């Protein structure tokens, strides 16, 4: 692990390999450890930078206002990278899209896995699913909240916990407990959002964009993946990956790695 000062914050990252640069941006329920299977695979052809977003994992959170997409480009600047491909899962995909819209010349390609985008709204179906699968939990009880979120996101609405690798559930809950602490801290800091948001600006993404999702993830996200691929001029929609939900790269690394190696410039 290395640390580097970006826009007044110390961000933690790992770097491996050489070649065209690729930045991995983790999910909001995780940290950079979720890419443990992608780093060695991609490093055979690429310079891979695996970063903890500000406040998450081993990165710090100063109280000053900031934007995650500014941090991503600040990281590129600090590492002397003119342009990089961004690979984002879940919230990391949202950050990647915002970065590409705010700094279009800095992003060579986007790979989005189970990703929402800024300005997108959840359907009533998803809200009801949350109530059914998670229900009321004490937000300060990170253990209980993480268990509920992992049930919702990592197991997904179409599977039972016993259908999923218990080690994946354990690791996801451990990462999410740390992420919940990060989110609580982030709630006290002004996090600047992209304005206008991405949902009505997808056609502005002029770089190649690969979009994928787990077959057991929320229907909202699979529909959104269809929309992104349709509206982006160079959009490519991967078939939904069977027996996988929201943390697709962690749960099914083989098809994800193959798709990324085939797609990334």
């Amino acid at each position: 692990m290395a640390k580097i000062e970006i826009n007044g914050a110390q961000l933690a990252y790992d770097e491996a390999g050489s070649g065209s640069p690729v930045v991995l941006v983790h999910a909001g329920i995780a940290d950079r450890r979720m890419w443990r299977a992608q780093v060695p695979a991609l490093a055979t052809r690429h310079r891979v930078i695996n970063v903890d977003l500000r406040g998450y994992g081993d990165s710090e959170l100063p109280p000053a206002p900031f934007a995650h997409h500014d941090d991503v480009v600040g990281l590129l600047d600090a590492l002397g990278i003119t342009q990089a491909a961004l690979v984002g899962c879940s919230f990391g995909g949202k950050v990647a899209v915002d970065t590409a819209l705010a700094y279009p010349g800095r992003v060579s390609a986007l790979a989005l896995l189970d990703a929402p985008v800024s300005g997108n709204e959840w359907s009533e179906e998803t809200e009801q699913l949350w109530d059914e699968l998670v229900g009321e939990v004490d937000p300060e009880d990170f253990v209980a909240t993480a268990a509920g979120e992992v049930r919702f996101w990592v197991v997904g609405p179409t599977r039972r916990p016993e259908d999923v690798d218990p080690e994946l559930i354990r690791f996801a809950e451990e990462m999410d407990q740390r992420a919940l602490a990060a989110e609580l801290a982030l709630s006290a800091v002004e996090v600047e959002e992209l304005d206008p948001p991405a949902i009505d600006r997808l056609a502005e993404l002029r770089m190649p964009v690969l979009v994928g999702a787990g077959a057991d993830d929320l229907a909202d996200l699979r529909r959104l993946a269809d929309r992104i691929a349709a509206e982006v001029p160079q959009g490519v929609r991967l078939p939904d990956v069977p027996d996988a939900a929201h943390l697709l790269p962690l749960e099914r690394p083989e098809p994800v790695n193959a798709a990324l190696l085939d797609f990334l410039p």
Side-chain angles (χ1 to χ4, degrees):
M1 180 188 74
K3 285 198 172 185
I4 193 167
E5 183 165 331
I6 307 297
N7 300 330
Q10 289 286 326
L11 299 192
Y13 71 101
D14 303 310
E15 186 171 345
S18 61
S20 58
V22 176
V23 179
L24 305 177
V25 194
H26 61 79
I29 60 171
D31 53 52
R32 74 184 194 281
R33 291 176 294 164
M34 69 161 285
W35 301 108
R36 61 189 184 185
Q38 280 68 52
V39 171
L42 298 181
T44 60
R45 300 184 194 172
H46 299 276
R47 179 185 179 187
V48 182
I49 295 96
N50 184 18
V51 65
D52 276 332
L53 294 171
R54 188 183 301 216
Y56 289 86
D58 296 309
S59 292
E60 68 174 12
L61 180 67
F66 78 99
H68 286 298
H69 52 272
D70 291 339
D71 279 354
V72 172
V73 169
L75 178 66
L76 299 183
D77 290 341
L79 295 176
I81 297 171
T82 302
Q83 193 178 56
L86 305 182
V87 179
C89 178
S90 181
F91 176 72
K94 171 183 174 292
V95 172
V97 170
D98 287 353
T99 304
L101 289 170
Y103 301 93
R106 305 302 299 275
V107 179
S108 60
L110 282 173
L112 308 173
L113 304 169
D114 300 293
V117 297
S118 57
N120 184 59
E121 295 185 0
W122 298 112
S123 68
E124 185 177 336
E125 170 194 4
T126 293
E127 302 286 355
Q128 290 175 347
L129 272 172
W130 179 271
D131 290 340
E132 292 170 12
L133 296 178
V134 183
E136 293 291 333
V137 291
D138 180 355
E140 295 185 1
D141 185 343
F142 293 160
V143 173
T145 303
E149 289 193 345
V150 168
R151 172 65 185 89
F152 184 79
W153 293 112
V154 180
V155 176
T158 60
R159 299 188 292 184
R160 300 168 300 170
E162 53 267 32
D163 298 329
V164 179
D165 179 3
E167 170 56 23
L168 173 67
I169 291 177
R170 184 208 63 77
F171 183 47
E173 288 181 352
E174 190 265 316
M175 284 195 296
D176 194 27
Q177 288 173 34
R178 292 185 70 185
L180 287 164
E183 289 173 1
L184 182 62
L186 283 161
S187 67
V189 177
E190 183 182 343
V191 183
E192 298 168 356
E193 299 291 341
L194 186 71
D195 185 24
I199 188 63
D200 294 319
R201 300 173 60 189
L202 298 173
E204 295 178 34
L205 295 170
R206 296 295 175 175
M207 66 289 295
V209 180
L210 180 71
V211 192
D216 295 295
D217 203 356
L218 298 174
D220 271 8
L221 288 173
R222 289 183 278 113
R223 286 190 290 262
L224 181 57
D226 293 340
R227 177 177 173 180
I228 295 169
E231 294 188 16
V232 169
Q234 297 187 68
V236 177
R237 177 71 159 93
L238 281 176
D240 289 342
V241 178
D243 197 23
H246 199 59
L247 292 186
L248 174 58
L250 184 61
E251 187 169 14
R252 294 287 174 259
E254 293 84 0
V256 169
N257 293 350
L260 291 175
L261 285 167
D262 185 58
F263 168 76
L264 291 170

